Amino acid sequence: MSNTLQRGDQSEIDEGDDRRESLLRLVAGASLGGSLLTFLVAPWLTVFFVIAFLAVVGYGWFAYQERTAKGLMFLATVSTALVLVLIIAFLFIRSLPAFGHMGLEILYTDGDFWSRANDWYSLYPAIWGTGLTTILATIVAAPLGIASAIFISEIAPPWAHEIVKPAVETLAGIPSIVYGFIGFTIINGYMMDNFGLTSIGSIVVVGVVVGLMALPTVASVAEDAIASVPDHMKDGAAAIGATKWQTIKSVTIPASFSGVSAAVLLGVGRAVGETMAATVILGNVMELPEPLYNVFGNTVTLTSLIASQYGNSHGLHREALFAAGVILFITVMALSVTAQVIEARVKRNLGGDL
């Protein structure tokens, strides 16, 4: 009888906790929803809903810490996904007038970016400039990054590994404006003095600088891919008499080729989306280089076009810049997804973690 009463009392306590928890969820959800609604309608009221939400979360943290923590993490995840969806929607919606006015001709129409005579825009010079700088940056970043990864993972002694790996990764922490300023004052000056450049800024300088900026990404991801190659594969090569270099060349590199390719793609994505270095170095000439393959010429990239003109744009001009943003987004997203697919393939084939 006593046990039955105790179980009944415990059941009532659990039911009471469930009701309080449900009430807390309801109040927290209402507070969060009210803060978002008032932010759009009456921003000055948002603070009251935010305070209510924080109060509910504070009480829940002390009373139901585990469930509150799970709820906050879920909310953070949903918020991140929602922000991404809103950014994508905003970007595409704002670009619709430009695509509606010019159609796909905005992508390949030759000429200056802005034709005032008929309010016509062309992203062709910026797309071409982005392509050239990306190719040059890949030529710089891919071999140097892969060579650095091989040295760090397979050749360097422990003391050198502890020095070189952090040094390479530190390059990623240098602000892009610093890279751009160094490229503009040093590399560009050298090119003008020794190669007879007639204008300030050139595509090749941007390619070299952006390639150096992408180098840490390529080196870090490629090093992880090379390190994920199972030891038994290397030991098997050593067992049949292969030297260290023969093992690297014939076993390690082929086995990690997919991961190394993903590293290069991520580096290319960094090069495509780079803004400040290209804006600082290039003269933002809104026309194609002559001839088209002239890497010593001057032009504009999609990122530098947006950065240099958004402050003075309005109407269809601004929508054309949003169209440039759409092209950038699709390009970088495609590169990122491809890199993720390749990395997943490496994990399946080698069983390693990148």
Side-chain angles (χ1 to χ4, degrees), residues 32-351:
L32 185 60
S35 63
L36 294 176
L37 181 61
T38 53
F39 179 78
L40 298 174
V41 179
W44 61 275
L45 287 175
T46 304
V47 63
F48 299 105
F49 287 96
V50 172
I51 293 174
F53 175 75
L54 294 177
V56 173
V57 170
Y59 175 76
W61 184 261
F62 287 102
Y64 313 98
Q65 187 174 109
E66 182 178 354
R67 297 182 180 180
T68 302
K70 290 181 179 179
L72 289 176
M73 287 186 285
F74 174 76
L75 179 62
T77 303
V78 172
S79 299
T80 302
L82 181 61
V83 168
L84 177 61
V85 171
L86 291 176
I87 290 175
I88 295 173
F90 179 77
L91 184 64
F92 277 82
I93 291 173
R94 290 298 302 268
S95 66
L96 287 178
F99 285 110
H101 180 66
M102 288 160 283
L104 294 180
E105 292 185 27
I106 192 175
L107 304 179
Y108 56 82
T109 299
D110 194 2
D112 295 339
F113 168 67
W114 185 10
S115 175
R116 291 177 173 82
N118 53 4
D119 202 20
W120 202 259
Y121 298 87
S122 173
L123 298 177
Y124 183 34
I127 294 173
W128 185 261
T130 301
L132 282 181
T133 56
T134 301
I135 292 172
L136 292 172
T138 304
I139 293 174
V140 172
L144 292 180
I146 295 172
S148 300
I150 294 173
F151 176 78
I152 293 171
S153 179
E154 302 294 318
I155 299 175
W159 64 267
H161 180 277
E162 297 300 323
I163 295 175
V164 176
K165 184 175 176 62
V168 172
E169 293 178 348
T170 300
L171 293 174
I174 300 176
S176 59
I177 188 67
V178 175
Y179 279 103
F181 186 70
I182 292 175
F184 179 77
T185 56
I186 299 178
I187 301 179
N188 188 70
Y190 176 83
M191 298 289 290
M192 292 184 68
D193 294 338
N194 295 275
F195 291 88
L197 297 183
T198 58
S199 62
I200 298 176
S202 64
I203 300 172
V204 68
V205 176
V206 177
V208 171
V209 172
V210 175
L212 294 176
M213 295 178 64
L215 174 61
T217 301
V218 177
S220 180
V221 179
E223 194 269 334
D224 290 339
I226 293 172
S228 69
V229 177
D231 290 335
H232 66 81
M233 297 179 66
K234 305 174 188 178
D235 295 340
I240 61 175
T243 63
K244 183 72 173 179
W245 172 246
Q246 288 173 333
T247 301
I248 294 173
K249 181 180 67 173
S250 303
V251 177
T252 305
I253 294 179
S256 61
F257 180 78
S258 296
V260 173
S261 300
V264 174
L265 286 176
L266 290 175
V268 171
R270 171 71 187 273
V272 171
E274 177 49 44
T275 302
M276 291 311 302
T279 305
V280 171
I281 297 173
L282 288 175
N284 291 319
V285 178
M286 307 297 172
E287 59 185 26
L288 292 167
E290 295 182 1
L292 290 176
Y293 55 82
N294 181 19
V295 296
F296 296 100
N298 211 335
T299 185
V300 67
T301 64
L302 288 168
T303 52
S304 62
L305 174 68
I306 296 171
S308 62
Q309 296 203 14
Y310 78 93
N312 299 320
S313 63
H314 58 85
L316 193 60
H317 185 185
R318 178 163 295 181
E319 315 306 335
L321 297 180
F322 274 103
V326 169
I327 303 302
L328 272 175
F329 172 79
I330 293 175
T331 303
V332 175
M333 180 63 71
L335 291 172
S336 298
V337 170
T338 304
Q340 293 296 324
V341 171
I342 293 176
E343 287 185 4
R345 178 185 174 186
V346 172
K347 290 182 180 180
R348 290 195 303 269
N349 292 343
L350 299 181

